[in-house]
């Protein structure tokens, strides 16, 4: 058995190695395809540029899916790299697509069809290590949160749930049991009466008599009809299973295979954890061993090289050289296998270049002022001819470094050298030796700098020349980021954490997976664009946007540092579209803390102006310390009311507005803190203030027919009901056109009660059962839907989109007019 397991492990490792090789071949092709997109393209070629950009985005998305699988299942710890770089590149390309298309949800269905891909290839994979690597931290935090809530729970439980005396409880149970027995007895007597009535009717009418042959013919006819209907039904089901319209009858076998595969994945993750821990301990031991064994020799060798450089420079120039500044690399310039003349020339050249730059900047001040007007006029005249191209990437250098490392170290290295998938000690020693050399070089620079001063004083009788501080660069002054004043310097983060829990501002997030926000892909977006109709995004597009803008950026510090910075997102849509669900899913997928700053939750807490400042300061301080964190504001429009209604004046919803915008500006690029706002009435808020606070606005659309079909099927199956042919899901999807997913869920829960679930074997559910409960719920009327669409077109990105459409229509009209004149 052990031999079979080892053989299976070896074959699986070889399969992953082939996947590594093919993935890096694809990566090399994609890196080559990026070069043409760096060249500027005029606006008239927007469509072709967008098509190439969309293709590149889809290829990188598929590559991200491959690297996620490899990162999750590769045991060897030194090979599990490059995932974050590819994820960062996907986010950069998504931002480029939005910048070119001027829409948060670009339509990729035509590109998807041309590349022979399926809608499943549009799914954004969420790296599994987001939750796996933070499981211990989340477990400890959950225990802490449960402990604090348990201290507060008895106070609320005694008030909310009074204890029922034993006699009253017994009487209540007896009453319920007698009622149940009475209902059963009444049902039994009703069946007996029906049977007696049927027998009486047969006796009155008289039973018809048939001959033996006629009776046999009737029985044969009924039996053959039954058999033929059964065969037809089975053939129909087989055909529907083949085209994917019904679940497979071999679902039990499939689930058994999937459970076995998931068990193998869990075993590899455990092995991966063991190897990772061994690798981390080996890194520390190797670093300490190299520092102890080779450190003294490195230090003496560096000193000898620097002293030799001192002597050669003095013999060449007649004086001791200036020591290279640390900002220029320090003694690294000396260790780069260069002669003293080359080092001296490089230093002099750098000094001369800095002087020339200062002179040019001082002389060019007046020229810049004159050119500004001319350039401004030129940009206004040539605004239509601005060029399109990819923005500079922070992820490409990371991807190139990882690709080169794999090509040089791992591509031709066979697993037979390390059959147990442990780390490679030789590669580890090479990496750690560089780190030790860097640490020792900094120490040697300090010692040799002092030694050079002593040599000048002893040999040349010369005092150490003071090094000139580097001159400040002229031109635009960098924006000074104000440091946030700490209002709680004498308090620990744990005490602030406990205070937020007590006030109900830090909440335990409900576990919700992002994949549970179901919806189908929009497959006619490009067709609608060609017909000059604006396609509305689907629920599938909304899920992908939340994964890209929220989950990937919050889940990893490396992805967050390379991806374009996003501090805040606003989710807009009618009640029941799943805005809160998406916020909870973001916290679940990234293991983030959930802070609730909704106006209703803040009522009566931290009053007066200083209290509001303290509140926002504590929340953002704890959010930074325990990042990743999500700060949620429900009814976000209330913070930016044009005019506060009478019923909300006591709440004072606008009191947090100034402190919130100030705290957002103080967020650094390394802070994985995301402000999430949800609203169903954005028209009541000031557009300028709302869009200034929330950088991205995502409109949650009305579900189309495909999404409604998937929603009904998913929600019914989530209640433990198998969807059969007797339940017409298509009819339910058609009649629920104006209803939100939340209303659909309410109707399903009202029908599929515990009692109804017990009757499923005898009475399968039908569509008519759901219609009555659905009709009692309020739909989203078309006026409300159109009002939200009109508001979305007034956002900054919506205005740019409408301007682009008008320019395209004007260009098309001019072209048609020219053709008409020619004819």
């Amino acid at each position: 058995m052990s031999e079979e397991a080892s053989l299976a492990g070896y074959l699986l490792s070889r399969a992953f190695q082939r996947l590594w090789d093919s993935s890096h071949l694809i990566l090399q092709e994609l890196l080559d395809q990026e070069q043409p997109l760096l060249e500027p393209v005029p606006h008239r070629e927007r469509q072709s540029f967008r098509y190439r950009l969309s293709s590149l985005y889809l290829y990188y998305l598929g590559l991200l899916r491959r690297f996620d699988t490899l990162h999750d299942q590769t045991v060897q710890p030194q090979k599990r790299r490059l995932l974050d770089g590819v994820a960062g590149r996907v986010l950069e390309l998504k931002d480029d697509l939005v910048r070119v298309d001027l829409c948060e949800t670009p339509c990729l269905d035509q590109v998807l069809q041309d590349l022979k891909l399926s809608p499943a290839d549009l799914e954004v994979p969420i790296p599994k290590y987001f939750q796996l690597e933070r499981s211990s931290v989340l477990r400890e935090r959950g225990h802490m949160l449960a402990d604090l809530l348990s201290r507060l729970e008895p106070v609320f439980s005694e008030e909310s749930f009074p204890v029922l005396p034993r006699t009253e409880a017994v009487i209540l149970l007896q009453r319920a049991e007698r009622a149940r027995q009475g209902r059963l007895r009444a049902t039994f007597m009703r069946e007996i009466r029906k049977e007696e009535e049927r027998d009486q009717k047969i006796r009155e009418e008289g039973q018809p008599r048939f001959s033996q042959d006629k009776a046999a013919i009737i029985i044969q006819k009924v039996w053959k009809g039954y058999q033929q209907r059964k065969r037809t039904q089975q053939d129909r089901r087989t055909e529907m299973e083949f085209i994917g319209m019904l679940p497979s009858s071999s679902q039990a076998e499939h689930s058994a295979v999937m459970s076995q595969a998931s068990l193998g994945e869990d075993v590899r993750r455990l092995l991966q954890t063991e190897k990772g821990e061994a690798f981390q301990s080996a890194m520390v031991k190797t670093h300490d061993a190299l520092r102890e064994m080779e450190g003294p020799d490195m230090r003496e060798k560096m000193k000898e090289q620097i002293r030799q450089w001192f002597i050669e420079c003095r013999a060449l120039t007649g004086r001791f050289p200036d020591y290279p500044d640390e900002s220029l690399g320090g003694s690294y310039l000396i260790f780069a296998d260069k002669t003293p003349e080359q080092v001296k020339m490089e230093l002099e050249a750098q000094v001369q270049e800095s002087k020339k730059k200062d002179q040019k900047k001082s002389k060019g001040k007046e020229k810049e002022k004159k050119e500004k007007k001319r350039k401004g006029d030129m940009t206004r005249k040539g605004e239509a001819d601005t060029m399109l191209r990819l923005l500079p990437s922070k992820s490409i250098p990371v991807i190139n470094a990882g690709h080169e490392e794999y090509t040089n170290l791992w591509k031709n290295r066979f697993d037979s050298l390390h059959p147990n998938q442990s780390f490679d000690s030789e590669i580890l020693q090479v990496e750690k030796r560089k780190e030790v050399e860097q640490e020792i070089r900094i120490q040697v620079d300090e010692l040799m700098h002092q030694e050079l001063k002593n040599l000048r004083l002893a040999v040349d009788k010369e005092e150490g020349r003071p090094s000139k501080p580097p001159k400040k660069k002229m031109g635009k002054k960098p924006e000074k980021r104000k440091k946030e004043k700490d209002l709680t310097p004498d308090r620990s983060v744990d005490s602030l954490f406990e205070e937020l829990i007590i006030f109900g501002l830090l909440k335990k997030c409900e576990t919700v997976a992002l994949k549970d926000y179901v919806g189908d892909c929009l497959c006619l977006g490009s067709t609608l664009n060609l017909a000059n109709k604006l396609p509305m995004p689907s629920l599938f597009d909304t899920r992908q946007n939340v994964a890209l803008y929220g989950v990937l950026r919050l889940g990893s510090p490396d992805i967050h540092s390379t991806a374009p910075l996003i501090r805040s997102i606003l989710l807009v849509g009618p009640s029941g579209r799943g805005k809160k669900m998406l916020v909870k899913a973001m916290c679940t997928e990234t293991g983030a803390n959930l802070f609730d700053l909704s106006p209703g939750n803040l009522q009566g807490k931290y009053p007066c102006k200083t209290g509001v400042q303290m509140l926002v300061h504590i929340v953002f301080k704890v959010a930074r310390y325990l990042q990743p964190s999500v700060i949620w504001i429900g009814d976000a429009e209330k913070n930016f009311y044009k005019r506060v209604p009478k019923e909300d004046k006591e709440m004072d919803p606008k009191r947090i507005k100034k402190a919130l915008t100030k705290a957002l500006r103080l967020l650094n690029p390394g802070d994985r803190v995301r402000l999430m706002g949800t609203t169903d009435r954005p028209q009541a808020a000031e557009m300028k203030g709302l869009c200034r606070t929330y950088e991205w606005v995502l409109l949650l659309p009305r579900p189309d027919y495909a999404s409604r079909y998937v929603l009904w099927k998913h929600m019914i199956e989530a209640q433990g009901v198998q969807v059969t042919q007797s339940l017409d899901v298509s009819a339910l999807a058609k009649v629920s056109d104006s209803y939100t997913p939340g209303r659909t869920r309410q109707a399903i829960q009202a029908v599929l009660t515990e009692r109804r679930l017990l009757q499923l074997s005898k009475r399968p559910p039908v569509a008519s059962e759901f219609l009555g409960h659905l009709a009692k719920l309020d739909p989203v009327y078309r006026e409300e839907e159109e009002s939200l669409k009109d508001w979305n077109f007034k956002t900054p990105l919506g205005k740019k989109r409408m301007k682009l459409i008008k320019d395209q229509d004007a260009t098309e009209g001019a072209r048609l007019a020219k053709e008409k004149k020619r004819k």
Side-chain angles (χ1 to χ4, degrees), residues 335-543:
F335 302 144
D337 296 332
K338 295 180 181 179
T339 62
E341 295 88 346
Q342 291 175 332
V343 175
K344 182 184 176 183
M345 289 172 63
E346 284 186 1
L347 293 174
E348 291 178 353
Q350 289 174 358
V351 173
Q352 290 177 1
E353 284 180 5
S354 62
K355 288 181 179 179
K356 287 180 180 178
K357 286 180 181 178
D358 294 339
Q359 291 176 359
K360 285 182 180 178
K361 286 179 180 177
S362 60
K363 290 179 180 178
K365 269 188 176 180
E366 296 179 359
K367 291 183 179 179
E368 285 180 2
K369 291 180 181 178
K370 293 179 181 178
E371 289 179 0
K372 274 184 181 179
K373 295 181 180 180
R374 185 175 59 84
K375 286 183 179 180
D377 297 337
M378 291 294 291
T379 50
R380 290 190 195 97
K381 291 178 182 177
E383 192 172 4
D385 296 328
T386 48
M387 310 299 273
L388 296 172
R389 63 177 175 182
L390 292 181
L391 294 178
S393 172
K394 294 181 181 179
S395 303
I396 291 297
V398 179
I399 294 174
N400 281 326
H403 181 56
E404 290 177 5
E405 178 186 349
Y406 178 83
T407 305
N408 298 330
L409 296 179
W410 301 107
K411 185 176 182 180
N412 299 319
R413 188 179 291 264
F414 299 102
D415 291 338
S416 57
L417 298 174
H418 302 281
N420 58 351
Q421 295 293 304
S422 59
F423 62 91
D424 193 314
S425 58
E426 295 179 3
I427 297 176
L428 180 60
Q429 284 185 358
V430 172
E431 293 177 354
K432 290 299 171 183
R433 188 174 285 110
K434 292 179 181 178
E435 293 181 8
V436 172
E437 286 180 357
Q438 181 67 15
E439 293 174 3
I440 293 176
R441 185 189 65 77
I442 296 173
Q443 299 173 2
V444 169
D445 281 354
E446 296 177 358
L447 295 174
M448 298 309 294
H449 199 278
Q450 185 63 38
E451 186 173 329
L452 179 59
K453 290 182 180 179
N454 297 335
L455 282 172
R456 283 175 175 162
L457 187 61
V459 179
D460 296 338
K461 307 296 182 183
E462 178 185 359
E463 295 287 340
R465 292 191 292 273
S467 58
K468 295 181 181 180
K471 292 184 178 180
K472 294 182 180 180
K473 293 184 177 180
M474 304 295 291
K476 290 185 179 179
K477 295 182 180 179
E479 294 182 1
K480 293 183 179 179
R481 186 177 293 275
K482 295 182 180 179
K483 291 185 179 180
E484 184 179 8
K485 184 180 179 181
D486 192 359
L487 302 179
T488 56
D490 54 342
R491 294 189 59 184
S492 64
V493 178
D494 292 338
S495 66
L496 298 176
F497 181 79
E498 185 173 352
E499 180 180 334
L500 292 177
I501 293 175
I502 292 172
F503 278 98
L505 300 176
L506 178 59
K507 296 187 174 181
K508 185 177 181 181
C509 181
E510 182 184 351
T511 302
V512 178
L514 187 60
K515 64 180 180 181
D516 292 337
Y517 190 82
V518 295
D520 206 356
C521 178
L522 178 65
C523 299
L524 295 174
S526 300
T527 306
L528 293 173
N529 276 330
L530 292 174
N532 292 328
K533 293 183 179 180
L534 289 175
M536 288 299 295
S538 64
L539 298 182
F540 180 89
D541 297 327
T542 303
R543 184 173 75 240

Side-chain angles (χ1 to χ4, degrees), residues 638-649:
K638 293 184 178 180
N639 297 140
F640 303 91
Y641 264 146
K642 298 175 183 176
R643 186 176 180 181
V644 181
K646 291 182 180 180
E647 58 270 16
D648 290 339
K649 282 187 177 180

Side-chain angles (χ1 to χ4, degrees), residues 719-738:
Q719 300 292 325
V721 179
Q722 183 67 34
V723 177
T724 59
Q725 289 183 338
S726 61
L727 180 60
D728 193 353
V729 182
S730 178
L732 291 173
K734 289 179 181 177
V735 299
S736 59
D737 186 10
S738 301

